[in-house]
Amino acid sequence: MGHELVGMSNARLVEVRRGIGFIFQAHNLFESLTACQNVAMAVELQGGFRNKREQAVAILEKVGLGHRVDYKPNSLSGGQKQRVAIARALVNRPQLILADEPTAALDKESSRNIVTLLQALAKEDGCTILMVTHDNRILDVADRIINLVDGYLESDTNPREFAAAHDPKNLDPKMFIL
Amino acid sequence: MDADVFLVSPQTLELSTSQSFPRDRLYQTQSIAGVARTMPVYVGYMQWRNPETRRSRALFAFAFNPRDPVFLMPEFDDPGLIAAMERPNTVLFDQRSRPEFGPQTPGTTTEVDRRQVVIVGNYTLGGGFTADGTAMMSDQNFLRFFSPRPLDRIDMGLIQLAEGADGETVVQAIDAKLPNDVLVLTKDEIIAREQRYWLIAASLGFIFGLGVAVSFVVGTVIVYQIIYTDISDHYAEYATLKAMGYRNWFLFGVVIQEALILALMGYIPGYVASVAVYELASRATSGTLPMSMNMGRGIFVLVLTIAMCSISGLISVRKVITADPAEVFS
């Protein structure tokens, strides 16, 4: 976005944060608010006080939670909570979404749903998603994979090359011999 | 007491420890225009013996000429009561005196300072910080009970003004005429003087004031603990708000809101409880201690409560303000 973040003033930092959607490993929803209100909290940031509910409901329907609009996080499943969190991150159409292990606490099916959903919505809005993950079941949705090992860049490829490089058939049998 | 202007000795701190001054001073005022009637009042403590337990206890006594309308109470409209007061060795007994003084029914005979005394009537006044019970008697009986005190030294002079007379000018005229061995006060002034004594000069008022100050400090600390704990519990949520791009001002507002809610929710049961304590205290003293929950006091405490919670909120909000969202989730 063309800004140096380090040493930025507090007020500028707030501006930058408003242009970024966050998805956390733990969903970090507000327990005392319903799904809709959780999303509306983000809408308020852009000053959309009047139609915040409509906006929130619309995005919740997109993530497939139209029937859970007025449920509190406690009565939602893990996948549903994460989808509310995604709705919250997407509702302001940010340029960048930072996702920190969004599928870590989810089973295979929910993980798959969530990443495909993220991918579809991102394509629709034309935003960038930067996802950090250990979950190799969802790697195929990525357009670019950067492999970090112990803080060093190991590879920077697209999914096809990445899969080829990690195909067990190509592994050197010697690495299993001590 | 039914009077417009009061004369007391300048050495008198409050009514029950009055110093006496010459009765002549009171008579001198009669020549001043606007003075309608003057009434001397004597006060003193006497040892009242409970006729049942035979224990003596200090009783506060007022004495005056029974024909003077000194007190405003309806009981004194009865001429029979006045006549009874004029008989030797009689007193009127305060129905609100503490029960330790024994029976209060008219006709009860007991002893005061080795002298027989008969209760000939009752009235309703009530004691205070200094007196557990009161009695009233004629000046002639005062002479008997409080011998060797002479009647020409009085504790308080009451002056009733003629209709239409201006209190301030009469007070100034009296003040100018009398030497400075007496203090001339209007009714409002003497009430204020008594209250000031109890609130400021006496240790009693100071202790209550100190109590308020200490509870304010303790309350601030407790509320700080509550809010701080609550912030810690919801730290992740505050950090999320911050990560979403909410300004510090918003978090500030949330914490202050919480403090205000806490203040109001604490104030309401506190108010009810203190009204109950007031009631309890006034029952314990048979409704005689001048204690009341008035509007001003209630609002003052409400303001203190809100200030207390806001200060606590402001102290504890620092944790949120300095929170770096990136660090909370690591």
Side-chain angles (χ1 to χ4, degrees):
Chain A
M1 284 180 265
H3 301 294
E4 166 104 29
L5 291 178
V6 176
M8 207 179 244
S9 75
N10 256 330
R12 298 289 308 280
L13 274 177
V14 167
E15 289 304 315
V16 172
R17 285 180 192 139
R18 289 185 177 192
I20 300 176
F22 277 98
I23 302 171
F24 307 94
Q25 180 170 357
H27 49 82
N28 279 327
L29 297 176
F30 305 113
E31 297 289 340
S32 53
L33 303 179
T34 63
C36 176
Q37 288 167 331
N38 262 290
V39 179
M41 285 296 287
V43 181
E44 276 180 24
L45 275 175
Q46 307 291 343
F49 288 98
R50 222 167 275 156
N51 58 351
K52 59 180 181 180
R53 179 160 172 99
E54 288 85 76
Q55 284 194 45
V57 170
I59 193 88
L60 282 170
E61 270 164 5
K62 270 194 189 172
V63 300
L65 286 175
H67 58 302
R68 292 280 187 270
V69 167
D70 290 320
Y71 281 54
K72 290 202 172 172
N74 273 336
S75 42
L76 296 174
S77 73
Q80 286 169 334
K81 280 188 236 184
Q82 202 57 284
R83 276 190 274 167
V84 175
I86 289 171
R88 181 172 68 179
L90 289 172
V91 68
N92 285 333
R93 304 182 186 281
Q95 293 165 277
L96 172 67
I97 291 179
L98 298 179
D100 180 14
E101 306 243 17
T103 59
L106 303 179
D107 59 52
K108 185 180 159 196
E109 206 186 318
S110 330
S111 310
R112 172 55 55 183
N113 286 342
I114 285 197
V115 286
T116 44
L117 182 70
L118 262 179
Q119 191 190 28
L121 294 173
K123 289 243 164 74
E124 203 174 295
D125 290 347
C127 74
T128 310
I129 297 179
L130 178 62
M131 188 188 299
V132 182
T133 186
H134 279 103
D135 191 349
N136 53 20
R137 298 171 299 192
I138 57 168
L139 291 180
D140 58 298
V141 296
D143 297 318
R144 181 176 166 192
I145 296 176
I146 298 170
N147 193 14
L148 271 172
V149 177
D150 293 342
Y152 294 99
L153 279 178
E154 205 179 68
S155 65
D156 181 357
T157 58
N158 60 41
R160 191 165 305 154
E161 286 173 31
F162 185 82
H166 289 76
D167 191 340
K169 286 176 194 151
N170 298 346
L171 284 180
D172 189 348
K174 280 180 202 157
M175 74 182 273
F176 294 111
I177 301 166
L178 288 171
Chain B
M1 285 188 184
D2 185 19
D4 305 302
V5 179
F6 294 78
L7 299 187
V8 293
S9 159
Q11 290 167 354
T12 298
L13 292 173
E14 45 90 26
L15 178 61
S16 72
T17 50
S18 293
Q19 299 292 314
S20 58
F21 61 92
R23 183 168 54 181
D24 300 349
R25 298 284 171 266
L26 187 61
Y27 291 156
Q28 279 174 306
T29 65
Q30 279 177 336
S31 63
I32 294 169
V35 174
R37 182 199 272 273
T38 61
M39 303 174 286
V41 170
Y42 311 86
V43 299
Y45 284 100
M46 56 189 192
Q47 289 296 317
W48 180 271
R49 171 178 282 188
N50 180 335
E52 286 173 348
T53 62
R54 314 230 154 236
R55 279 169 196 245
S56 290
R57 206 178 157 94
L59 184 72
F60 189 67
F62 296 96
F64 48 89
N65 184 341
R67 288 164 193 255
D68 283 341
V70 170
F71 284 93
L72 283 171
M73 281 158 269
E75 290 89 338
F76 292 99
D77 293 340
D78 177 12
L81 196 74
I82 306 294
M85 270 180 93
E86 285 180 332
R87 292 203 300 270
N89 300 332
T90 57
V91 295
L92 301 185
F93 204 80
D94 184 359
Q95 278 174 322
R96 283 200 184 149
S97 297
R98 287 193 62 86
E100 286 86 339
F101 287 106
Q104 304 165 354
T105 44
T108 309
T109 307
T110 181
E111 276 179 30
V112 166
D113 294 324
R114 295 189 301 282
R115 182 180 271 274
Q116 278 239 322
V117 64
V118 186
I119 299 180
V120 292
N122 291 120
Y123 64 97
T124 312
L125 176 68
F129 291 123
T130 52
D132 291 337
T134 65
M136 291 188 191
M137 62 181 73
S138 66
D139 43 3
Q140 295 307 314
N141 281 325
F142 183 82
L143 202 58
R144 293 187 181 99
F145 290 127
F146 287 86
S147 138
R149 266 189 68 176
L151 280 184
D152 61 2
R153 291 197 63 88
I154 64 176
D155 291 301
M156 192 187 257
L158 309 188
I159 298 170
Q160 283 178 351
L161 298 185
E163 242 173 88
D166 176 41
E168 278 305 309
T169 41
V170 176
V171 165
Q172 277 166 18
I174 298 172
D175 221 4
K177 175 155 186 161
L178 298 185
N180 55 7
D181 62 350
V182 288
L183 216 54
V184 188
L185 302 167
T186 63
K187 193 164 190 167
D188 292 338
E189 281 171 351
I190 195 162
I191 291 173
R193 191 179 149 90
E194 289 274 313
Q195 282 179 347
R196 200 170 56 239
Y197 173 79
W198 287 113
L199 289 180
I200 298 164
S203 50
L204 201 72
F206 177 73
I207 285 170
F208 277 124
L210 200 66
V212 171
V214 168
S215 31
F216 183 82
V217 172
V218 172
T220 305
V221 172
I222 291 176
V223 176
Y224 168 72
Q225 286 289 341
I226 294 173
I227 296 181
Y228 189 85
T229 313
D230 190 72
I231 288 178
S232 303
D233 286 350
H234 296 97
Y235 200 35
E237 296 191 357
Y238 283 108
T240 308
L241 280 175
K242 236 179 157 174
M244 282 165 67
Y246 276 99
R247 293 177 203 284
N248 280 341
W249 277 113
F250 181 83
L251 306 182
F252 225 68
V254 171
V255 175
I256 291 299
Q257 246 178 49
E258 187 182 349
L260 287 183
I261 292 172
L262 207 63
L264 288 179
M265 298 309 273
Y267 178 77
I268 292 165
Y271 184 86
V272 172
S274 52
V275 167
V277 169
Y278 269 101
E279 184 61 31
L280 205 72
S282 88
R283 288 249 176 97
T285 54
S286 332
T288 56
L289 269 195
M291 288 175 53
S292 63
M293 174 61 95
N294 54 32
M295 190 79 165
R297 201 164 292 161
I299 291 173
F300 175 66
V301 173
L302 178 63
V303 169
L304 273 190
T305 314
I306 290 175
M308 180 174 89
C309 292
S310 304
I311 291 173
S312 308
L314 290 180
I315 302 173
S316 44
V317 82
R318 284 177 314 177
K319 185 178 164 81
V320 175
I321 298 300
T322 54
D324 184 344
E327 280 170 13
V328 179
F329 301 114
S330 61

